[in-house]
Structure formats: C-alpha cells, structure tokens
Amino acid sequence: VAADKGTATFSDIANGIAREYGFWLDDAFASGGSVGYDHKKMGITARGAWESVKRHFRELGHDIQRHDFTVVGVGDMAGDVFGNGMLLSRHIKLLAAFNHMHIFIDPDPDPGKSLAERRRLFRKPRSTWTDYDKGLISKGGGIFQRSAKSVPLSPRMKALLETNQSAIAPDDLIKRLLGADVDLLWFGGIGTFVKSSAESHLDAGDRANDPTRVDGRDLRCKVLGEGANLGITQLGRIEYARAGGRLNTDSVDNSAGVDCSDHEVNIKILLGQVVADKRLTMAKRDKLLAAMTDEVAELVLRDNYLQTGALTVAEAEAADRLPNVARLIRALERATRVNRSIDVLPDEEGLARLGNSGLGLTRPETSVLLAHAKLALYDELLESDLPDDPLLVNDLVAYFPTPVRKTYAKAIANHRLRRELISTSITNQVVNRAGFTFVNDLKERGDRPAPAVARAFTIVRDAFGCEALWRDIEALDNKLDVEVQTAALIDIKALIERASLWFLRHGHHPLDITHNVALFQPCIEALGRCLADVGSANDLAFVEARRRDFEDKGMPARLAGGIARLPLMGAALDIVRVAGGDATAVTDAARVYFGIGARFGFDWLRDAARRIEAQTPWQRQAVQSMVDELYGLQFDLVTHVMDAAGGIKAAEVVVDIWTDAHKAAGDRVQQMLADMRASGTPDIAMIAVAVRQLRLLVES
C-alpha cells in the first residue's frame, strides 16, 4: 500500500486486518497509515530526488541552495513530488510548468515572491495552477488551458521558447517547454514525456502523451530530476546522457519514499516487541514514532546521498572500468539476473564499440547495474553466516534513529529481521563505497565467494579508518571542486580493493572481522605515524607531490596528507605481517620493507607501471598483475632478509650482507634498473622483464 496522503486510509484498513488476524507485523503491515510517516507531509520522495539534483548541480559548480537557477516542471503544487520539490530551494526560478489541465508560464519570476505563492498553493487543498495569484506572474506570462485551440505568445514567451510564432497549440507549447534551455527539468507528475529518437511513441507505452512527447536528444536542460516515475524511457535517458545531460533513473531519484516506508516498518517491528514485553505502551510508542520523524528523514536522505555519490565515482571511472563492467554483465547474465534487452544494457558489440571509442556506460545504465549488483550481493550475504557476526551489530544499530539506539539497543540486536537489515546495510556500504563491480572483480581475482569479499571489505573499512576520511571529504561539498573530492574517493576505493584482495589471498578463512580489525588497526595507525621517518626517498617524494597537489586545489592540509599517503598504505598489511602483528615492531619492519623496496627498485617500478598508458583492457589487466606481483616479491624478499638476520631489528644491518651474498643476482637487478631509468619512460615489456629479474633474485 502506497504511503501517500490519499491512500493512508487503505494502510489503516490493511493494518486493522493484520491485527485482527494476529499477524506478527501488526500495524507494520502497511506503511503510511494514521500512525505512520506521512510522505507528503515529510516531502520525503521529493527531498530524496532533490539530493540527486543538488549533486548534479554541485558537479557543475553550482550550489542551487545559494544561487538562482531556472526550472521547467511537470506537475502542480497540489502534487506530493512536484509540490514538495518546488519548495526545496529559495532560489528556484520556475519559468513554466504543466499538468493535465493547465500550462503555467512565468518568464522572469521573483524567486522569493514565487516561492511564497507556491507554498500557499501547496497548503491549499486541491489547488490548481488557476489558483496562482496572477498579479505575481511576471510580464508576458500567464496560465493557459490545455484544452484551448491555441496559446498567444508574448514577446517574453517567444524568447523563452525561442520562436517567432505569434501563437502555438498547447501540445506544441509543452514540447517547446520540455526542450527549453533551462537549468533543471523537474518531473513531478504522471506521464512519459521523453523517449529516444530510436523509439516510437508505441514504445513509450503512454498513448495519452504521444502529442507532447520529445526525444532525449531534444532536451537542453542541464539536469533532469526524476521525482516521478516513468517520465522518460531508459533509451531516452541514455540518449540524453550521451548528449551531455545529467540524470540518474527514476528508481534512484525517487527511492526515498520506499526507503522511508522500510524504516517505518522496521522501527514498528522493533517497538512492537518492546510493547509486547510491556516496556512501552502503544500510546508512548506512537509519540516516539512521531518524535523521530526528522531523524528518519535524515537517515533516508543519507542513503540517497551515498548512492548518487557511488554513481558519480562510477561515472568518473566509466571508461577505465569498462572491462570490469563487461565481466559483471556477463556474470549477472549467467546467473539469470540480467536480461540485456529488458534492462537496456549494451550487447557484446555495443561494449566493443564503447571500448574502441574510449567510452564507458552512461549514468542511467550504471544505475541499473548498481541495482542488480546490490540485489545479487544481498542474496548471497543473507544465505551466509556473515549477518551473524557480532561486530556487525554496530551496522544494524546505525540503521535506527538515535532515541531507539539509546533506549532499546538490546532489542535492536534481537530484531526479528536482524539478518536482513545487516545484509542490506553491508550490501549498500560495499557497493556504494567500493563500486558496483568490486565484488565480482574480487571474486575473480581472490577466488573467494561474495560473503568473504564483504568480510574483507568490512575489515579494511574499520582497520584503515575509512569512515573518518569519507566524512572529511563529504564535509567539503560546495567548498572543494568535485573532481578533487572524486579523486580522493577513488584513492580510498583503490586502497580498499588492494587491501581486501590481500585478506582474500592471505587471511585465514572464514575471515574473523573482530579479530582482524583488533590485530591490524593499531599496527596500521602505528605505520601512519612513522611513515615520514621510514619511507624511501622516492616514496616520500611521491607522497609529498600528491599532498601539495591536493592542497593547491583547496583541500585542507590534514586531509590532503591522509589522502596523499594512501598508495603507500597499500603495503601496510605486508608490513604488519612482517612485524608479526606487533604494533611496537611496525617501525622497524617498515624501515626494512621500504629500504629493500628502494634498494631493488620496487617502489620505482610500481610507480612506473601505474604511469603506463595502457591502450587495451588486457594491457591494463597486465599492468595490474605486475603491480600485484611486485608487492608479493617485495614481501618475499623482506622475509628472506629477515630470516637471514634472525629478526626485525637486525634485518636492516643484514641487508648489505645479504646483498653481498647474492651479488650476481643483485648486480643484474641494479644494472637493469639503471638501464630502464636511462631509457626514459618504461613500457609494459620492460616492466615484465624487471619482474622476471626480481623473481630470479628472490628465488636465489
């Protein structure tokens, strides 16, 4: 049952039946009833879509909460999504809007006065555009009946529509408005108004709006916000996105309504048990639900923020990650989770064309795959024992509002849907933070199932303190260039991928999250503190250059330093293994590790490999394999030196002795490195030869 104002009565009826039959969900059976969250009053669906809109504009360098922007919309102020949406910024300049009866045009609106009038209409029961105060409409505007034969065009309307016609049919006027050169096109009403040029009107499946429909390539708005469902076909989205337009999909933009219902139901299930235990009366439960409305909204909007952020990172990596995406599509197809025709995903020829053109999937296509990746991971986690891990109770608790966390923590831990909620939380974190191909990539490279990948992710997240870095980056919204924020997020993502793969290959399975976090976290923190003293000159110069670059682009010094050193922190897990998990031994272990890395060119070779401009997906994969092998060989060499030294503290002294004992192999490596440095920029073949020489050194 939809949780809208008009259907709340049906929710109450459904909940009454559930109670009458003694069904365990009780009044959590249907959301949005009289004792539930009123979505229109909260404006939650529109606010969720507004998170998408704000992000799109932020990435264009425009803060729509502080600066004016122009809008054309579909809907009226009596509607939940349109009405709430058009109240979410004081800087909206609503130039035009239409519903099934009227067309509203205000060529040069005053943002403040028009906002107040829209608010009045929103509060007026069953208002229409004809209730708008005509005296507040700017010169040349008006409200017109869609049933009229034609609409006369004032000079200002002609300028808005970019036409010299003196009059225009209402349907043609709507088509002109949909294609207007504005900042935002806001879908808040029912109807499919955009298709692709390759589709017929029949494909759009909405005969009533055939006369007003345009193609995706005809849209000139900078951003399209899909507060309503089915406003544009998926092929229309893709066409618009390929032309440079910014949008997601309706399922991403307007997901907050469903998310809010989920929270309501799960909170009611929790408190239902508390009421049954006579620790809370039903009357007090109802008051508590109402008191938590604002925080429930914040939790829901946070989900919208993070999911759209994941799409932004994916978009930035779209071309480079296309081979990973192709493998994911094939894997989902084999599991019968994806149908390329139904899901409007490219076939193999289409993927090849994208690769040859240096392109990746559009944001709408990525939105579809992100959803499928989450659904697949959720199912695998739920079937595993991961949701039973005690450490993940913290993730479960974080799902609920603060008053419930504080008072009913034990009840949360025993929630009837505990496993489902933990599986959902971990799924969202893994995909939002590490990427929608992450699980499939690591299943292939680490030869472990999805639950093991999720365990590794959770260990890395906590052991490396990723949450603090993410919060610091997000705090810079509208203060730092989005490209810099995205680059920092990609650096964290790269660390998560490398470190998670390490745990999959070297950890004791099944991975114990609590044990590994307790073991590695203090050691990693110790490495962070001593890195400037133990890193090689080459490594430290690399970090310093990155730090300066981030700072020059406006990132605060502390955060810039933390992000700059992430590539070096990829070695942290090997160093901890060298130190035997002893935080007090990390400094000595790191000194040996980085010393050998500098002595035999491991750091220089990895840096050179990363700078290679791979021309094909296979070349990129080959480079990644060589970087992985260089890390492995460096660890093996450190282990040999330590064995010869009889311990960490003595190892640094023994490096020279060990090198003398293996002089022939060592000299070959040094000569090879000198030749490579003298030759200029190394290529893949040269790196491959270097890896072979280092392998021979280790084997010697």
Side-chain angles (χ1 to χ4, degrees), residues 631-653:
Y631 275 115
L633 290 171
Q634 184 170 348
F635 174 79
D636 290 341
L637 195 54
V638 170
T639 303
H640 286 315
V641 172
M642 281 181 54
D643 289 343
I648 295 175
K649 289 187 179 298
E652 192 174 10
V653 178

Side-chain angles (χ1 to χ4, degrees), residues 412-461:
I412 291 175
N414 296 319
H415 195 286
R416 185 157 182 165
L417 298 180
R418 174 185 186 279
R419 302 185 85 259
E420 287 81 359
L421 289 170
I422 289 175
S423 297
T424 299
S425 175
I426 297 302
T427 293
N428 282 327
Q429 290 183 58
V430 170
V431 176
N432 288 344
R433 294 304 196 180
F436 68 102
T437 70
F438 171 78
V439 172
N440 190 64
D441 291 343
L442 265 65
K443 283 168 67 175
E444 293 177 347
R445 296 173 64 192
D447 196 26
R448 293 284 179 177
V453 176
R455 284 181 177 276
F457 166 88
T458 307
I459 294 167
V460 173
R461 177 199 68 185

Side-chain angles (χ1 to χ4, degrees), residues 45 49 72 92-93 121 190 244 252 290 397 402 512 524 536 563 663 668:
T45 303
V72 166
I92 292 172
K93 297 185 71 173
L121 290 192
I190 297 171
V252 169
V397 170
T402 305
D512 185 323
I524 291 169
S536 69
I563 299 296
K663 192 172 189 308
R668 283 195 297 272

Side-chain angles (χ1 to χ4, degrees), residues 375 406 482 518 639 669:
L375 291 168
K406 289 182 176 179
V482 170
T639 303
V669 170

Side-chain angles (χ1 to χ4, degrees), residues 664-683:
D667 286 348
R668 283 195 297 272
V669 170
Q670 296 298 340
Q671 185 58 52
M672 173 201 67
L673 289 171
D675 292 343
M676 288 180 68
R677 287 188 172 103
S679 68
T681 305
D683 57 22

Side-chain angles (χ1 to χ4, degrees), residues 25-73:
L25 276 169
D26 195 63
D27 74 339
F29 181 71
S31 65
S34 55
V35 185
Y37 294 122
D38 184 329
H39 288 196
K40 183 172 183 179
K41 187 175 180 181
M42 294 172 70
I44 194 63
T45 303
R47 290 166 68 187
W50 208 248
E51 288 298 314
S52 296
V53 170
K54 286 194 296 184
R55 183 177 290 279
H56 288 313
F57 278 108
R58 190 159 62 243
E59 290 166 11
L60 291 171
H62 193 115
D63 182 355
I64 59 173
Q65 302 307 107
R66 297 180 61 192
H67 302 287
D68 293 352
F69 62 108
T70 55
V71 183
V72 166

